Amino acid sequence: MGRILQITILMLLASVCFAQGVSRDEIRGLDEQIQDVKKDVIDLTAELAQLEEKLLFPSNTQASFFVSLAGDAAFSLEAVELKLNNEIVAHHLYTFREIEALQKGGVQRIYTGNVQTGSHPLEVSFIGKSASGKEYRASADYTVDKEVGPKFVEIKIAGAESAINFKDW
């Protein structure tokens, strides 16, 4: 949408310049206005994304799950699957860039959904490889105790140890 707006404004700018012989100062002023409009569009997009998240996942029922890696740089995560209440809610295959970000300490939000208050079984499984090519698989169970208010759970994968640790935030 930003590209279309930008192209439209540039076309208008070009037609105005050719039609009236506008001075450089006026063109510079138009460039600043275009930059202001672009900034406004970016701000509105961010605001809309936040409003959409609030609408789709109200804080009383929101549960979010995050994946991180324990500091083993030789381990390469390939896939993670989450089952909440015995239903697959997320399955993710990692790209090289995502793996690199996780190895540098990044955290990935793998799932956000609406969950009622109470206890919910969570099953996490992963597949990954070591630098030598050895494949690792593991799965672990956890009980998510959802109370009123948002719930955040970190799933920390220690690949070469085939361990999965959970932490409530």
Side-chain angles (χ1 to χ4, degrees):
M1 184 168 135
R3 279 264 191 229
I4 294 170
L5 178 64
Q6 186 179 21
I7 290 171
T8 304
I9 291 172
L10 288 174
M11 290 176 63
L12 287 173
L13 178 65
S15 67
V16 168
C17 290
F18 288 118
Q20 299 178 358
V22 179
S23 72
R24 287 186 171 260
D25 289 337
E26 291 172 331
I27 292 173
R28 198 169 295 140
L30 286 174
D31 284 342
E32 290 171 4
Q33 288 177 356
I34 291 170
Q35 294 303 320
D36 289 343
V37 169
K38 283 174 57 178
K39 185 181 178 307
D40 289 345
V41 168
I42 290 170
D43 291 344
L44 285 172
T45 302
E47 219 171 286
L48 282 173
Q50 287 177 343
L51 288 171
E52 181 182 5
E53 186 173 320
K54 278 184 180 178
L55 186 66
L56 293 176
F57 310 110
S59 64
N60 284 343
T61 61
Q62 182 184 40
S64 295
F65 301 92
F66 300 87
V67 172
S68 66
L69 289 178
D72 186 2
F75 176 75
S76 178
L77 185 63
E78 291 187 348
V80 171
E81 183 176 278
L82 262 68
K83 286 184 182 176
L84 185 63
N85 296 323
N86 297 319
E87 286 186 34
I88 297 174
V89 293
H91 182 88
H92 190 79
L93 299 174
Y94 289 89
T95 64
F96 177 75
R97 295 182 80 189
E98 291 171 329
I99 294 167
E100 219 176 44
L102 287 172
Q103 288 172 337
K104 289 181 180 177
V107 177
Q108 175 209 11
R109 180 166 56 179
I110 192 166
Y111 176 72
T112 297
N114 294 313
V115 177
Q116 298 297 321
T117 56
S119 295
H120 304 274
L122 174 70
E123 182 182 336
V124 177
S125 56
F126 76 87
I127 300 172
K129 285 187 177 176
S130 67
S132 64
K134 183 179 178 184
E135 187 173 296
Y136 291 95
R137 292 173 181 257
S139 64
D141 295 319
Y142 184 71
T143 301
V144 177
D145 293 318
K146 176 74 175 79
E147 297 173 358
V148 175
K151 179 74 173 183
F152 303 103
V153 177
E154 179 183 4
I155 303 161
K156 184 169 266 189
I157 297 172
E161 299 165 14
S162 294
I164 301 173
N165 299 311
F166 298 92
K167 181 179 178 184
D168 289 330
W169 286 350

